[in-house]
Structures are given as structure tokens and as C-alpha cells.
Amino acid sequence: MRVLLVGAGGVGTAITRIAARRPFFDHIVVADYDLSRAEAAVTALGEDGTRFSAVRVDAGDREAVTALLVAEGCDVLLNATDPRFVMTLFEASLEARAHYIDMAMSLSHPHRERPYEECGVKLGDAQFERAADWEKAGRLALVGMGVEPGLSDVFARYAADELFDTIEEIGVRDGANLTVDGYDFAPSFSIWTTIEECLNPPVVWEKGRGWFTTAPFSEPEFFDFPEGIGPVECVNVEHEEVLLIPRWVDAGRVTFKYGLGDDFIETLKTLHKLGLDRTDKVTVPGGAQVSPRDVVAACLPDPATLGDRMHGKTCAGTWVKGTKDGAPREVYLYHVVDNQWSMHEYGSQAVVWQTAINPVVALELVASGVWAESGVRGPEALPPVPFLDLLSEYGSPWGLREQ
């Protein structure tokens, strides 16, 4: 298998470090708009980097990406860029007849008149509209294959297959006790993506009603996270799992709640009040045009560089409530990463490493033919046990807690 990895930021670099230890691929081409970033990711691998090369590509240029896929003879494109480039890379992969994997889906657009009640354009709608074309091409577009979405969706499928007869509710719950020395506000993941997720209307799915929206940060609850993290207040946030899980898993309700904390929520609300969450460009004195959200991102530290200052653990997981053998059951399937461990083992901070390992596991399953579907598929559309077994083989075990 030959892979085109587009994006050499924190997650992309972590992907190279994880994949370098596995034999399943022949070559990975690391591509980035900034050639020096791609070269740095490859150089950092040292002797393990012989199956990697670095090139420059503009992720927003579909023709250039298509040409690169063809020229390099790549079987699959792994998208490690932010969601703005999803459709360009998705379409380029289809045109080049390559498989495609991403960790975030095509962007949503709120309902114009009733944004906190009805869905407008949902996450992933643009990709699912092309499902028939991917089926016809006999290629797999595996969407939302990070940690959340991604591993959380695999957990949902596993619960439905192995742990429950009926499912009343599936709730993805994400929490951490991470701190960063020297910063009052330092997101552990892309602030661009974080703003998009947290300020858009959250989506909820209910059987009989379908998808609908609520106000940002709605339905707060405290969730007790495992391995010493403890109780964290979680709120509704727009996320791909709610748009993916109901397509393949029978459940009465599906939600996603994120443990943000009061300070983080207040900061995001302030950015929104000031218009600094906007992506459309504004003209500043002197005539330059800039995107306010891009300015915010440029003013904050790169999350990938915070590992040495970061302490604590991050937890991604899926809470499921239903019945088994006629009795009520409630479980939490989870994956915890300790920042000290991920920095020591891979030189990557916990959140980006936890995101990166899952598409590498998926790549290996595609390469081996274990995951051999075609069309546009979410992680829950594919067999979960091979994924979870391989995740443990990578030295990153998952857990199950009866609630």
C-alpha cells in the first residue's frame, strides 16, 4: 500500500511516528502546503523514515492533489488537515480512484430561520451525497476515523453487536484533566476546529424525530471519567458521531457531550460576541483582508508544541444504556492516554496522539483487506472487533466500565 498523507501538523506528524513502527505499508508520501513541515516530520523519524518522503501540495487545489495521487501511485489518501479542505481532498481521491480516510467530515451550515431547533446542512451531508459515486468506483471513503469521531463510533458498533440486545441511548462523552504550564488559555487541539464544533448548534438524534438542534453548551451534566480524571461537566457540542451512529446502529437517542469547563466556555462565548469566530474575511486598516478566526488561531500556541508543558490524561469514550438478556445494562467504553506516556513513547502530546493512532489502525485494516467495503462509510459500518484487537496490539488498550 502507498499512502498520501496530506497535512504535517500535530496529528499528521503523530501519524508518521505511529505508522513508522508498522510493516503494513510500502510508502507514505507526507504532503503539506509548507514543505518544511513535511520534511521535518520525515526527518524526525531518523532511520525509521526510509519508507517516507516529503512533498509540497496545496490541500485546496483539487487538480494538484489528484495529480499527486496519480504520480505517486497512491492507493489511499489520509486527510490530516482541518475540515475546510475535506471536500477538495475527498473529490480528488475519487477522481484518482484512491481510497479516502478523514478524521472530520464536511462542514455544516446552520438553519437560517431556526438554527437552535432545526438542522440546516449537516456535517457530512456533502460527502454522503456522493455515496453512489464511491460505490460505483469500488472505493472506500471512510469518514470520521479519528478518535471522536472514529474510535467512539467503533465503540458504538461493538456495544450493539456484543453487549446489548436493545439500546436506549448512546452518548459520546469526552473529558480530560489536562493542564498546560504557562498559559491561561491553550487549547489542546486546533482552535479553528474547536470553535467550529463548540459554537455551531449541537445536533441530537432521537428515534421518531430524527436529527434536531439545540443551543450551544446545552444540557450540562457531570460525567465521572475513569483512571483518575474524575467528574467533569460536559455539554452538548456539534459532532460527527451524532450524524454517523444512527445510520448504522439502532438506538433510541444519540448525543455528544464535551467536557469544556466554565473558563473555556466563557472564552468561546466572548470570541463569538466579538465576532472573532467568523471565517469570512474582514478588511483591516491598511487594506489587508483577514479571517478573524485565523487571527485567533495565529495568536494561540500550536497545540502540537505544548506536550512538554502539558500534564494529565485525556479520555474519549462512548456511554451506552439499554438491555441485555432482559435486564437493564449501562456501560462506558473508553480510551485514556496519559500525556507523560505519549510524550515519552512518541514525542507527541496526548490529544493529537490519541487522534492519530486510529486512522493508522484503519489504514492497516484496509491494507490487509479486513475492512473491504466500498462507498461512503462511517467507522460503525465496519466490523469493530478487528479494530479493537489491533488497537490493543499497537500498545494502546481500551477499557469497559459497567456503570
Side-chain angles (χ1 to χ4, degrees):
M1 170 183 278
R2 291 179 63 86
V3 180
L4 175 61
L5 169 63
V6 183
V11 173
T13 297
I15 285 171
T16 65
R17 294 170 181 176
I18 296 165
R21 302 187 184 188
R22 304 295 296 185
F24 70 87
F25 66 94
D26 299 309
H27 193 84
I28 293 181
V29 180
V30 184
D32 197 279
Y33 186 81
D34 181 348
L35 177 59
S36 65
R37 289 209 310 177
E39 291 174 334
V42 173
T43 300
L45 298 173
E47 294 181 358
D48 292 332
T50 56
R51 292 180 294 156
F52 295 79
S53 59
V55 300
R56 183 191 180 279
V57 76
D58 180 353
D61 187 337
R62 181 181 57 79
E63 292 183 358
V65 175
T66 303
L68 182 59
L69 280 164
V70 173
E72 293 286 350
C74 291
D75 305 289
V76 58
L77 185 153
L78 175 51
N79 176 3
T81 65
D82 74 53
R84 288 174 290 181
F85 301 105
V86 161
M87 288 310 297
T88 301
L89 300 178
F90 176 84
E91 295 287 1
S93 300
L94 180 59
E95 187 170 342
R97 298 184 64 82
H99 300 301
Y100 170 85
I101 299 175
D102 64 31
M103 290 163 272
M105 294 161 60
S106 59
L107 292 172
S108 64
H109 300 284
H111 193 280
R112 288 187 177 183
E113 288 80 31
R114 296 160 60 89
Y116 303 134
E117 298 174 34
E118 297 183 23
C119 295
V121 176
K122 301 186 300 298
L123 292 167
D125 275 358
Q127 291 172 287
F128 281 108
E129 286 175 1
R130 300 298 308 274
D133 297 320
W134 281 87
E135 292 273 7
K136 184 178 180 180
R139 294 295 182 268
L140 171 65
L142 179 55
V143 298
M145 191 61 254
V147 59
E148 291 174 341
L151 179 56
S152 51
D153 303 74
V154 174
F155 283 150
R157 176 81 267 167
Y158 179 81
D161 289 353
E162 307 290 338
L163 305 178
F164 289 85
D165 296 324
T166 64
I167 294 177
E168 178 183 332
E169 183 169 355
I170 296 175
V172 179
R173 299 293 184 264
D174 181 297
N177 60 1
L178 295 168
T179 59
V180 181
D181 294 339
Y183 290 97
D184 293 328
F185 184 75
S188 58
F189 203 69
S190 162
I191 187 61
W192 201 101
T193 304
T194 301
I195 289 173
E196 184 74 16
E197 292 175 348
C198 294
L199 293 179
N200 275 352
V203 180
V204 174
W205 187 89
E206 292 181 356
K207 185 178 288 188
R209 183 176 179 182
W211 287 293
F212 62 94
T213 57
T214 70
F217 316 119
S218 59
E219 298 182 2
E221 67 175 49
F222 277 93
F223 191 86
D224 188 16
F225 290 92
E227 298 194 21
I229 295 174
V232 179
E233 187 176 22
C234 299
V235 293
N236 278 325
V237 168
E238 181 191 46
H239 232 248
E240 285 89 344
E241 291 95 325
V242 179
L243 285 311
L244 287 171
I245 290 172
R247 296 176 187 269
W248 289 284
V249 178
D250 185 13
R253 193 170 195 261
V254 182
T255 59
F256 178 95
K257 292 189 180 183
Y258 197 4
L260 296 172
D262 289 341
D263 290 345
F264 201 102
I265 289 173
E266 288 306 313
T267 299
L268 292 175
K269 287 180 176 179
T270 300
L271 291 175
H272 179 64
K273 287 178 181 178
L274 297 175
L276 294 175
D277 60 324
R278 293 168 52 190
T279 57
D280 52 311
K281 293 183 178 181
V282 298
T283 303
V284 299
Q289 290 191 321
V290 296
S291 160
R293 194 185 300 186
D294 287 344
V295 173
V296 171
C299 291
L300 290 171
D302 180 353
T305 67
L306 297 176
D308 291 335
R309 295 169 173 257
M310 189 179 290
H311 309 279
K313 299 177 181 179
T314 184
C315 178
T318 304
W319 163 74
V320 187
K321 180 180 179 181
T323 63
K324 179 66 174 178
D325 298 327
R329 191 178 194 187
E330 192 174 341
V331 304
Y332 183 58
L333 301 102
Y334 64 89
H335 184 254
V336 172
V337 178
D338 187 315
N339 186 72
Q340 184 177 2
W341 176 86
S342 65
M343 286 297 297
H344 180 266
E345 290 292 321
Y346 288 89
S348 297
Q349 58 104 318
V351 176
V352 299
W353 188 89
Q354 189 182 44
T355 303
I357 189 172
N358 296 287
V360 180
V361 173
L363 273 175
E364 185 159 346
L365 292 174
V366 172
S368 66
V370 174
W371 278 7
E373 297 286 330
S374 62
V376 179
R377 297 285 187 270
E380 55 279 279
L382 301 162
V385 173
F387 185 97
L388 295 174
D389 287 347
L390 192 53
L391 182 66
S392 296
E393 184 182 313
Y394 272 55
S396 186
W398 55 282
L400 187 157
R401 181 183 69 189
E402 296 281 350
Q403 296 290 86

